[in-house]
Amino acid sequence: MSKALIIIDVQNDYFENGALELVNPIPASENAKKLLDHFRKENLPVVHVQHASPEGVPFFVPGSTGVEIHDNVKPAEGEKVITKHYPNSFRDTDLLEYLQSKGVTEVVLTGMMTHMCVDAGTRAAFDYGFGCTVIGDACATKDLEIKGAQVKAADVQTAFLAALEFFYAKIQTTDEYLNA
């Protein structure tokens, strides 16, 4: 069994003064960094996923500082960086081929936004046959609204992690994963 860490969209636009600020992105990115350090120490594959928006979208604008991967989880020389244009990290990218080339059978996922790109990437990874673990406290999301009803980020986070754990992934905290 070979594991890989996938860090999804931990990019500057999700942080303070970014174009699409999330709730508590700093603690999530710090936990992602702990996992990144662990995978580097164990010499296991790491994949950084970076979203780039099409022209006219006001966040993740190619060439802007907002699209850049946050300093807390900056890729090291030689680490795989995948640019994507959809919530699903596998869609129109070489992520599947890369993981298969490394003999990966299990993925550990972290990142932003839990309700969108982390959810889509986890479900796709499962559908491609990977065992999935999502590190919930290394993910961040935002308040949402539907038909005038407000949903707080903490409730969004809990609901999406619960939905993933129901069938698609094991959900752990950073400490649970690192101390297992």
Side-chain angles (χ1 to χ4, degrees):
M1 160 185 61
S2 178
K3 292 182 185 178
L5 177 65
I6 302 175
I7 302 173
I8 300 171
D9 301 351
V10 181
Q11 295 169 247
N12 291 333
D13 267 343
Y14 283 143
F15 291 79
E16 188 174 3
N17 299 317
L20 192 60
E21 188 175 337
L22 301 184
V23 174
N24 297 321
I26 293 290
S29 70
E30 289 169 342
N31 284 326
K33 169 87 168 104
K34 291 176 189 175
L35 294 157
L36 178 58
D37 291 343
H38 170 78
F39 273 73
R40 285 174 174 165
K41 184 178 162 219
E42 297 295 320
N43 200 28
L44 292 168
V46 172
V47 179
H48 300 268
V49 178
Q50 182 178 30
H51 195 102
S53 293
E55 193 173 319
V57 175
F59 55 91
F60 298 152
V61 176
S64 71
T65 58
V67 76
E68 293 173 10
I69 294 174
H70 192 270
D71 284 344
N72 285 351
V73 292
K74 273 278 192 240
E77 188 72 31
E79 287 178 343
K80 179 74 170 168
V81 178
I82 289 179
T83 301
K84 69 176 179 66
H85 304 285
Y86 298 96
N88 175 354
S89 298
F90 291 88
R91 182 174 174 185
D92 295 341
T93 71
D94 66 346
L95 178 56
L96 178 61
E97 294 81 6
Y98 177 77
L99 295 172
Q100 290 172 334
S101 78
K102 296 292 185 184
V104 171
T105 57
E106 301 218 2
V107 292
V108 176
L109 300 110
T110 70
M112 301 174 181
M113 297 187 283
T114 309
H115 72 277
M116 185 61 61
C117 298
V118 173
D119 181 70
T122 301
R123 291 171 187 262
F126 178 88
D127 287 345
Y128 280 122
F130 294 98
C132 299
T133 301
V134 174
I135 309 301
D137 64 358
C139 297
T141 192
K142 65 190 290 294
D143 296 345
L144 296 178
E145 179 182 333
I146 183 166
K147 299 183 186 218
Q150 303 294 317
V151 184
K152 289 293 186 194
D155 294 328
V156 172
Q157 181 84 348
T158 299
F160 272 83
L161 293 175
L164 288 173
E165 186 172 55
F166 185 77
F167 189 76
Y168 288 96
K170 180 178 188 175
I171 307 299
Q172 292 187 303
T173 65
T174 301
D175 287 343
E176 286 170 342
Y177 183 82
L178 292 176
N179 296 319

